[in-house]
Amino acid sequence: MSPRCALIVIDVQQSFLHRPYWDECALPAFRDKLLALIAGCRAQGVPVVHILHEDGDGPFAAASGLVRLMDWLPDNADATFTKHVHNALTDSGLREWLQQHAITRLIIAGIRTEQCCETTARVASDLGYAVDFVSEATLTFAMTHPRSGRTYTAREVREHTELVLAGRFATLHSVASCLATLPAQN
């Protein structure tokens, strides 16, 4: 019997639009890939779970009114959880929901490839879940190293995440390759 899967869509929320590092350039490709992944999972009966991040900091504070899905993201999730740490499993209620639904395989997508997406993949793997990391359905931003001053492009940050996850914490996938591995679920 194939493991039951769930798509975990992490932090695709309005809060990011109000951060100084927000870069609109990569949004169209990310949006297209994420929407294709969601549609493909839905077609196979794979539950879609939204995760929102709330930490009391500016646009990520509940009082900001920005801890809500980006306007273009379908809001018909099978479940939605709010987290207060970098991974989606520790304090959100997600882990208990996954156990209740006998889900053992997680498909990870969302915003901040190297932060909440990568951290969730690592924790999920340590907890015994099979993890599929769909990099092209994640989004991140350029970052500047605090000591050297070197700026790493979003592509370099994403490639580093792929490097450290592959074969250790997750299986790397494109949207197409991930969807091709999904058995129909009901």
Side-chain angles (χ1 to χ4, degrees), residues 4-153:
R4 277 195 47 82
C5 304
L7 171 60
I8 312 301
V9 180
I10 300 172
D11 300 350
V12 182
Q13 63 191 67
Q14 294 291 325
S15 308
F16 281 105
L17 301 175
H18 301 273
R19 284 296 201 202
Y21 51 75
W22 175 256
D23 182 356
E24 201 70 30
C25 294
L27 182 61
F30 164 69
R31 181 179 50 228
D32 292 348
K33 295 298 185 178
L34 182 58
L35 291 174
L37 182 61
I38 291 169
C41 284
R42 284 265 177 240
Q44 293 297 323
V46 172
V48 176
V49 177
H50 290 302
I51 306 295
L52 295 169
H53 184 86
E54 179 184 300
D55 65 12
D57 180 26
F60 288 89
S64 73
L66 299 170
V67 181
R68 57 186 168 80
L69 300 177
M70 288 192 175
D71 295 337
W72 52 265
L73 192 64
D75 65 357
N76 60 344
D78 294 280
T80 300
F81 298 95
T82 300
K83 64 182 179 60
H84 302 93
V85 296
H86 290 103
N87 82 81
L89 293 156
T90 298
D91 73 345
S92 64
L94 173 62
R95 187 173 179 197
E96 294 77 10
W97 186 88
L98 295 170
Q99 291 169 340
Q100 291 167 0
H101 291 85
I103 292 170
T104 59
R105 178 180 168 198
L106 306 183
I107 302 165
I108 305 292
I111 295 185
R112 296 285 335 232
T113 308
E114 78 293 351
Q115 285 187 26
C116 296
C117 295
E118 179 180 336
T119 304
T120 298
R122 287 171 177 264
V123 171
S125 175
D126 284 351
L127 291 173
Y129 292 95
V131 178
D132 294 329
F133 197 86
V134 186
S135 296
E136 66 184 2
T138 69
L139 178 68
T140 197
F141 313 98
M143 297 174 71
T144 301
H145 193 283
R147 289 186 294 175
S148 72
R150 177 181 172 206
T151 297
Y152 292 81
T153 66

